[in-house]
Amino acid sequence: MERNHSFQYHPKAFHVFGPRHISSPRWREIISSSWKNESYKRVVMACFVQSAYLLELDRQENRYGLETALAPQWWTPFKYKLVEPLVDERDGSIFAAVLEWDQAAALADFIPIRPTGAPKVVLAIRGTLLKNPTIRRDVEDDLRYLAWESLKGSFRFERLLSALKSIIFNQQGSKNVSITGHSLGAGFALEVYKALAAEGTYVEAHLFNPPSVSLAMSYRILSGKAGFVWKRFKSMLPSHSEYQSKSIAEDAAESTESRITSELKQKLPMPHLYVNTSDYICCYYNYPDGVQNNSFNIDIKEKEVKPGGNALTGVKLFVVSKAKQRFLEAHRLKQWWSDDLELQMALNNSMLISRQLNSLYTIQAPKQTQG
């Protein structure tokens, strides 16, 4: 009895640590779905990632079953259920969770169908846990990204990609499949998203504090600044008519390609990236494409944003608009379901997003998906 009481008031319990003003789905969802609201979707996706963290912490602290486990509290209020925890066979740790719409639980609350906008399946990926059972493999992948700006080659990347492909195959399409993650987990989610997109398969993605710090990225920024100075110098030199004609032709070709690419992006689910400028792990996503700008000069409130996102990359980049914060506060997952969260949607072109994602939309047309 004492153990159950402590479970109810555990600092990570949903009603203690979770979002304060968010309601569970009811029959009215059939008429007006909360999932159409981007803020609601962001909150729920962050809760799903929190459940992935807690699955591993429950395992480490021997909390099993609905009476003691904390993780189920973070998906059951939204009418989802755990289908499969993804386990790293090398240390036995849980690093991700496959969640599915729970039709039985929904029917109990008189919700006969899945609300519009609610994904049928979600793959949620946790970030780094600095605990003895997991720290070695987690930090190993952190260092992999730091050195190579990529998580390909990781055991977990292959496991996640295989799991998501299996989900898409079983669902007969990717339309109702979402992937989400935080920190290192967001890095894996982005890597898997890119691998699928390269094959013409697109899923909805919500990435919280995705890693951007790497040795390669730091080098590119320094090189970019030097390149900008050189371009400014070249612009002062006399130009030849032949070069000018070539530039006009190239500009026309780029304009046509940009128009075709923009039309393609409008038909695809855009990744949602959530970053905090005080978080040095994801700060480079806020670094503009073009070193002449030292900040995002054009941004608008989330509620004023029109569909379309970033014009060049097809990515929605949401930036916390609070004043300077400490790193640990700026990197925490909890901020993304906080009531006082102030977001702005960046319209300027991010150098890192442009380089990582822009080419994906021109590789090939998306595969036909079914609902």
Side-chain angles (χ1 to χ4, degrees), residues 23-290:
S23 57
S24 298
R26 291 291 184 266
W27 65 268
R28 292 185 180 86
E29 292 290 318
I30 306 170
I31 303 171
S32 179
S33 174
S34 300
W35 284 92
K36 293 181 180 179
N37 184 297
E38 287 195 345
S39 294
Y40 177 87
K41 185 175 287 190
R42 181 196 71 244
V43 169
V44 178
M45 288 295 171
C47 289
F48 287 166
V49 177
Q50 179 68 8
S51 74
Y53 277 104
L54 288 172
L55 276 171
E56 172 55 22
L57 292 176
D58 283 344
R59 184 191 72 87
Q60 292 182 18
E61 298 171 20
N62 297 313
R63 293 191 298 258
Y64 299 103
L66 294 178
E67 292 186 357
T68 56
L70 295 172
Q73 299 180 16
W74 292 80
W75 63 66
T76 52
F78 309 108
K79 310 305 177 191
Y80 280 79
K81 62 182 178 180
L82 177 66
V83 176
E84 179 188 9
L86 299 189
V87 178
D88 190 327
E89 298 170 358
R90 299 168 299 177
D91 59 9
S93 65
I94 299 171
F95 62 93
V98 179
L99 304 175
E100 185 178 62
W101 173 257
D102 190 346
Q103 189 60 52
L107 283 172
D109 281 330
F110 307 102
I111 308 173
I113 58 174
R114 181 164 40 89
T116 303
K120 188 172 183 181
V121 182
V122 178
L123 176 58
I125 314 167
R126 68 166 176 85
T128 303
L129 275 175
L130 299 179
K131 299 271 189 176
N132 284 332
T134 58
I135 188 171
R136 178 185 173 188
R137 298 303 181 186
D138 286 0
V139 172
E140 181 181 287
D141 283 326
D142 288 329
L143 294 176
R144 183 191 304 274
Y145 187 90
L146 179 63
W148 304 108
E149 199 179 331
S150 173
L151 292 166
K152 288 184 177 179
S154 166
F155 168 86
R156 294 180 180 180
F157 167 75
E158 298 297 338
R159 182 73 178 87
L160 289 164
L161 183 59
S162 174
L164 199 55
K165 284 184 175 181
S166 177
I167 291 168
I168 293 170
F169 176 80
N170 292 333
Q171 300 299 324
Q172 291 87 44
S174 60
K175 184 178 179 181
N176 295 311
V177 177
S178 295
I179 186 170
T180 184
H182 171 250
S183 191
L184 177 63
F188 274 117
L190 181 59
E191 203 75 67
V192 171
Y193 176 90
K194 292 193 294 182
L196 289 174
E199 299 175 1
T201 301
Y202 295 86
V203 296
E204 186 175 312
H206 294 264
L207 315 175
F208 302 98
N209 302 86
S212 65
V213 178
S214 68
L215 299 177
M217 188 63 194
S218 301
Y219 174 78
R220 287 189 191 95
I221 286 182
L222 293 175
S223 300
K225 290 180 178 179
F228 174 70
V229 173
W230 171 242
K231 287 179 180 178
R232 286 291 298 271
F233 174 73
K234 285 204 303 182
S235 67
M236 300 176 186
L237 299 176
S239 57
H240 299 288
S241 58
E242 180 182 350
Y243 176 78
Q244 289 177 331
S245 299
K246 183 180 179 182
S247 296
I248 293 172
E250 288 178 345
D251 289 344
E254 289 177 0
S255 176
T256 301
E257 181 180 354
S258 177
R259 176 180 58 80
I260 296 173
T261 303
S262 296
E263 292 174 355
L264 178 59
K265 290 172 190 171
Q266 291 175 4
K267 302 176 183 178
L268 302 175
M270 293 182 292
H272 293 63
L273 274 64
Y274 305 93
V275 304
N276 190 318
T277 53
S278 298
D279 176 9
Y280 62 77
I281 288 181
C282 64
C283 61
Y284 281 151
Y285 279 105
N286 202 35
Y287 199 94
D289 189 4

Side-chain angles (χ1 to χ4, degrees), residues 302-315:
E302 183 182 11
K303 63 182 180 180
E304 299 172 347
V305 173
K306 296 180 180 180
N310 184 291
L312 293 182
T313 62
V315 174

Side-chain angles (χ1 to χ4, degrees), residues 334-352:
K334 181 183 178 181
Q335 67 183 307
W336 303 111
W337 66 69
S338 298
D339 295 332
D340 61 345
L341 181 64
E342 298 177 6
L343 283 181
Q344 292 180 331
M345 184 173 175
L347 295 183
N348 292 63
N349 303 316
S350 162
M351 177 174 66
L352 185 54

